[in-house]
Amino acid sequence: MSDSFPTAVVTGAGRGFGRAIAAALVAAGTGVVGIARDERELRTVSEELGGGFTPVVADATDEALAHSVIREYRPGLLVLNAGARPHMAPVHEQTWETFSRNWHVDTRHVFAWTRAALVEPLAPGSVVVAMSSGAVVAGSPLSGGYAGAKAAIRYISDYAAEESNRAGLGIRFVALLPQLTPATGLGAEGIADYAARQGVDQDTFIGGLQPILTPEQVAKAVVDLAGDRDGAPAYLVAGAGLRPLG
């Protein structure tokens, strides 16, 4: 990994999937520039991972930030993982502001970094991995516009891959669609709400999600995909591993 991608950028690196991805990349010998808004969380990750991790406290939706980070660090790998916690309520109890929350964070930051990757551009052979969601396939009726925002991320990756090919840039774009898991704060909150909606206890609901996806499995998927030169544009990640989406 380090020979192909000496430097990677991971957004949302302070917790959950992003933190696990940063740890896996550093362990593989790749220097990671980790971006998140929470300085305390990034400091903790930096202390854990040591000199291989460079913390950048910033808002990942800032397009100027995307351009400046790419210019300064020249990463060979971008992992676009930042996102907001959706407002959990049925559609008629949402406002437009709560319903659109993930469009303004998750989708916007993927758009900003994807555009920057094409405009700068990243070097040939670079890879951009965007974190979508299994909600794109299964829906998510309690999280407002979350599923739609994540579907847009998948399309942005597809569109960018086409433009990279058209321009001969040699940049590969991949979307990951991880399933709901109790192993992250966002997932645990969602499981509690969906279990209550179905009138079952959380253990029963989690039983239907087996095998449980872990952050470490997502991190391994990112490392594997980054090194897979023939990867498909979108993958569904379950506890059992990756499978391409047609």
Side-chain angles (χ1 to χ4, degrees):
M1 175 65 71
S2 60
D3 292 339
S4 300
F5 305 113
T7 305
V9 170
V10 179
T11 65
R15 65 176 77 172
F17 291 156
R19 181 172 181 164
I21 291 165
L25 289 170
V26 169
T30 296
V32 173
V33 179
I35 297 172
R37 289 181 293 183
D38 192 308
E39 182 177 2
R40 179 185 57 81
E41 289 182 345
L42 273 185
R43 187 185 308 116
T44 299
V45 177
S46 183
E47 291 170 354
E48 175 187 330
L49 300 184
F53 182 84
T54 301
V56 175
V57 180
D59 183 347
T61 66
D62 182 349
E63 192 161 355
L65 171 76
H67 285 273
S68 66
V69 167
I70 288 173
R71 289 170 186 165
E72 179 175 357
Y73 294 100
R74 304 308 306 172
L77 173 64
L78 297 181
V79 184
L80 306 180
N81 169 75
R85 287 182 181 269
H87 178 70
M88 299 299 290
V91 65
H92 63 288
E93 295 178 9
Q94 300 269 355
T95 65
W96 175 246
E97 286 70 25
T98 63
F99 185 89
S100 62
R101 180 178 296 172
N102 296 99
W103 288 90
H104 292 292
V105 179
D106 306 44
T107 311
R108 181 176 178 178
H109 110 281
V110 169
F111 172 81
W113 286 86
T114 298
R115 182 175 182 275
L118 292 169
V119 169
E120 287 298 329
L122 294 179
S126 297
V127 181
V128 179
V129 179
M131 201 64 66
S132 179
S133 171
V136 171
V137 179
S140 185
L142 283 184
S143 60
Y146 179 83
K150 292 297 190 179
I153 288 173
R154 181 182 174 188
Y155 283 119
I156 289 169
S157 292
D158 288 348
Y159 301 159
E162 181 179 355
E163 295 307 317
S164 174
N165 290 337
R166 282 167 52 86
L169 296 178
I171 306 168
R172 189 156 59 87
F173 292 85
V174 181
L176 281 183
L177 285 70
Q179 72 172 21
L180 184 66
T181 173
T184 67
L186 186 152
E189 180 180 340
I191 284 168
D193 288 326
Y194 279 107
R197 178 182 175 91
Q198 295 182 12
V200 300
D201 61 64
Q202 292 185 41
D203 289 340
T204 299
F205 187 88
I206 290 171
L209 300 177
Q210 299 294 336
I212 296 299
L213 181 67
T214 68
E216 291 71 26
Q217 287 171 321
V218 173
K220 183 179 185 301
V222 169
V223 173
D224 289 348
L225 286 173
D228 178 10
R229 300 301 180 184
D230 299 318
Y235 282 86
L236 183 66
V237 188
L242 287 171
R243 68 176 178 85
L245 292 173

